[in-house]
């Protein structure tokens, strides 16, 4: 078989960078054909020089910059705001890694699926807001979705080759984020930087704030529900601070299958790229003697109400997950820009979620309208 051709949407973020490291290791198996970024066009330029993709997409400012600096390279420079949907659907593309964040990933995600590609999403937002549409379109167009999010990858691996009728439930593990051992009364006294200091994973700012309030886990509950077509009640969150078990599947007979490894995103990325094969990763092995013990706790929904809110939202479904997603995005952004306090994020998101009248089985258009409505309402609430 020839080289598998890969497009990475969001190649300058942490997942994108890790994906390129994996591809570099297996340069005899993969070829980068497309890279995209928004504003980090200097890093994008270095990536272009190293991986020579045939296509790149970047913001308007970045297009000018790259045209000036790349000279006569054989790379087509596209606009990230307009061209992602056509880029992922190019005939030569085999795998699309969705490493960009936000609901902007929905358009290209859907386009890749409709073109029958293998899609490896690290992005949660698209699955949270329009998961049912993505899954049904994937079935229709025989596209394969192999999740990259570490928990979803774990569940995917635990369920592989099993009879789904025999599954009882999923134990979705959570490291607990930066505030696990901080009393709630201290939350608003912490600086943005303290909240951004995640104990296990190095990630982007938005997702790190979401992790601190367990909103990220809430999104993952909804993601798990749609990806594996489960009911909300089949998903149990377990706090596991060591973050070595990345999730578990419990079957009818009481047997539980878990997926374990060190916390390094290159593992789930590699698995998504090489699936169904497993190859040497060259990463540090899991050392049980060094670890000594594993701990488990029930999540505290009084301290982290975002988790309970997400379960409510996941159960209602329809347009409500898109409200949760957009309100959270606006509120976290306001927190990062020091416009609101940490605990205001939840207060604001809850208000907007309760204000929305859910539409069942929405079209994509309705979902996007809801997303717009939510952003306006949330901004109004913050800046009134
Ligand atoms: Mg995760």
């Amino acid at each position: 078989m020839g080289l598998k051709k890969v497009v990475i949407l969001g190649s300058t973020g942490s997942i994108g960078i890790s994906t390129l490291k994996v591809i570099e290791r297996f340069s005899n198996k993969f070829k980068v054909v497309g890279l995209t970024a928004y504003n980090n066009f200097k890093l994008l330029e270095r990536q272009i020089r190293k991986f020579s993709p045939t296509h790149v997409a970047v913001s308007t400012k970045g297009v000018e910059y790259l045209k000036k600096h790349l000279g006569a390279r054989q790379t087509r420079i596209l606009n990230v705001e307009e061209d992602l949907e056509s880029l992922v659907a190019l005939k030569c593309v085999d795998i699309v890694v969705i490493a960009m964040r936000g609901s902007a990933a929905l358009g290209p995600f859907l386009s890749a699926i409709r073109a029958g590609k293998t899609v490896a999403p690290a992005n949660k937002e698209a699955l949270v807001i329009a998961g049912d549409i993505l899954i049904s379109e994937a079935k229709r167009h025989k596209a394969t979705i192999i999740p990259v999010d570490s928990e979803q990858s774990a569940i995917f691996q635990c369920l592989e080759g099993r009879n789904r009728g025999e599954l009882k439930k999923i134990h979705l593990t959570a490291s607990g984020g930066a505030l696990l051992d901080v009393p709630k009364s201290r939350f608003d006294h912490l600086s943005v930087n303290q909240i951004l200091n995640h104990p296990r994973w190095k990630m982007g700012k938005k997702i790190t704030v979401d992790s601190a309030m367990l909103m990220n886990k809430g999104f993952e509950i909804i993601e798990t529900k749609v990806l594996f077509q489960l009911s909300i009640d089949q998903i149990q969150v377990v706090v596991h601070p060591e973050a070595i078990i990345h999730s578990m599947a419990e079957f009818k007979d009481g047997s539980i299958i878990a997926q374990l490894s060190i916390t390094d995103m290159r593992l789930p990325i590699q698995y998504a790229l090489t699936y169904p094969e497993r190859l040497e990763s060259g990463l540090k092995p899991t050392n049980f003697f060094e670890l000594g013990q594993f701990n488990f706790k029930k999540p505290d929904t009084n301290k982290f109400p975002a988790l309970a809110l997400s379960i409510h939202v996941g159960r209602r479904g329809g347009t409500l997950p898109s409200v949760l997603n957009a309100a959270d995005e606006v509120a976290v952004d306001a927190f990062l820009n020091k416009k609101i306090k940490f605990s205001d994020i939840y207060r604001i998101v809850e208000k907007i979620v309760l204000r929305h009248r859910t539409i069942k089985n929405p079209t994509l258009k309705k979902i996007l309208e809801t997303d717009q409505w939510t952003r306006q309402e949330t901004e109004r609430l913050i800046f009134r």
Side-chain angles (χ1 to χ4, degrees):
M1 221 186 104
L3 294 174
K4 281 194 194 166
K5 300 191 181 66
V6 184
V7 169
I8 304 169
L9 304 181
S11 64
T12 57
S14 70
I15 299 283
I17 292 169
S18 294
T19 305
L20 286 172
K21 282 185 190 153
V22 173
I23 289 180
E24 222 183 325
R25 183 173 168 85
F26 300 109
S27 54
N28 56 336
K29 291 192 179 283
F30 302 101
K31 162 91 184 102
V32 176
V33 292
L35 294 174
T36 81
Y38 274 84
N39 285 321
N40 198 348
F41 35 81
K42 291 196 175 150
L43 176 56
L44 183 64
E45 183 196 353
R46 289 199 295 277
Q47 293 177 340
I48 295 167
R49 293 190 186 280
K50 190 160 178 183
F51 293 93
S52 302
T54 51
H55 293 74
V56 295
V58 70
S59 64
T60 314
K61 250 169 95 185
V63 170
E64 281 167 37
Y65 175 89
L66 290 180
K67 280 190 174 150
K68 198 168 135 199
H69 287 80
L70 283 174
R73 264 185 176 256
Q74 295 295 316
T75 302
R76 279 198 62 188
I77 303 165
L78 307 170
N79 192 309
V80 77
E81 310 273 1
E82 292 158 12
D83 302 322
L84 292 190
E85 293 178 25
S86 51
L87 170 61
V88 298
L90 287 175
K91 222 177 158 164
C92 65
V93 175
D94 297 308
I95 305 176
V96 178
V97 177
I98 307 185
M100 62 192 277
R101 76 169 182 90
S103 46
L106 181 55
F109 196 148
L110 203 52
S111 171
I113 276 176
R114 286 179 174 153
K117 308 297 186 191
T118 294
V119 184
N123 172 292
K124 308 191 161 72
E125 290 88 343
L127 283 162
V128 166
I129 69 178
D132 290 333
I133 294 174
L134 289 166
I135 299 296
S136 71
E137 286 292 287
K139 276 186 196 142
R140 171 138 50 129
H141 297 278
K142 297 190 166 56
T144 311
I145 300 177
I146 309 173
V148 167
D149 196 1
S150 62
E151 295 80 357
Q152 312 305 333
S153 172
I155 297 165
F156 184 90
Q157 295 179 56
C158 292
L159 293 181
E160 234 206 304
R162 320 261 163 208
N163 180 347
R164 288 294 298 278
E166 293 170 358
L167 176 71
K168 197 155 131 197
K169 62 185 201 180
I170 293 296
H171 299 270
L172 183 70
T173 54
S175 68
L179 304 178
L180 182 62
D181 298 317
V182 178
K184 197 174 182 177
S185 57
R186 293 270 314 133
F187 284 5
D188 285 336
H189 301 289
L190 299 175
S191 69
V192 170
N193 279 337
Q194 280 171 304
I195 284 167
L196 288 178
N197 190 15
H198 193 282
R200 300 278 170 229
W201 300 99
K202 278 272 148 279
M203 306 177 287
K205 283 183 186 175
K206 198 260 177 185
I207 187 172
T208 307
V209 175
D210 281 340
S211 294
M213 59 191 290
L214 294 198
M215 182 67 89
N216 182 55
K217 208 48 59 179
F219 287 141
E220 286 180 5
I221 293 176
I222 300 170
E223 197 187 5
T224 303
K225 177 195 170 219
V226 294
L227 261 178
F228 302 103
Q229 303 279 286
L230 303 169
S231 79
I232 283 285
D233 300 314
Q234 283 178 291
I235 305 163
Q236 167 76 58
V237 173
V238 184
V239 176
H240 165 50
E242 292 81 10
I244 296 294
I245 301 175
H246 300 299
S247 280
M248 306 176 257
E250 180 173 339
F251 295 88
K252 273 182 178 169
D253 60 355
S255 275
I256 299 175
I257 295 179
Q259 189 267 336
L260 289 75
S261 72
I262 57 160
T263 50
D264 191 314
M265 282 310 292
R266 281 174 289 178
L267 281 168
I269 292 167
Q270 176 177 319
Y271 188 71
L273 290 175
T274 66
Y275 174 82
E277 257 186 291
R278 286 188 189 273
L279 303 174
E280 286 280 348
S281 69
L283 296 174
K284 194 176 144 223
T286 307
N287 186 330
F288 288 105
F289 305 120
E290 250 170 45
L291 284 162
Q293 59 179 352
F294 281 172
N295 286 282
F296 303 99
K297 271 188 200 173
K298 200 174 174 175
D300 181 348
T301 46
N302 285 322
K303 191 171 160 185
F304 301 108
L307 199 58
L309 183 67
S310 308
I311 292 170
H312 163 75
V313 168
R315 188 169 278 129
R316 299 284 316 258
T319 44
L320 204 54
S322 65
V323 175
L324 182 73
N325 172 70
D328 177 68
E329 204 172 303
V330 174
V332 170
D333 196 54
F335 166 71
L336 288 170
N337 289 309
K338 304 197 167 91
K339 306 275 188 238
I340 59 173
K341 290 185 295 195
F342 179 74
S343 57
D344 291 335
I345 303 173
Y346 175 76
R347 269 197 286 274
I348 287 163
V349 172
E350 186 196 36
K351 261 201 187 118
I352 303 288
V353 163
L354 295 177
R355 216 177 263 183
H356 177 69
R357 289 187 55 189
T358 306
I359 301 161
K360 288 268 161 213
N361 304 313
T363 57
L364 196 60
K365 189 165 167 260
K366 265 280 165 260
I367 291 171
L368 297 174
E369 281 169 16
T370 305
D371 180 271
Q372 278 311 309
W373 172 85
T374 306
R375 284 169 203 277
Q376 283 161 10
E377 286 288 298
T378 314
E379 267 166 27
R380 203 172 299 153
L381 192 63
I382 294 172
F383 299 105
R384 71 176 171 200

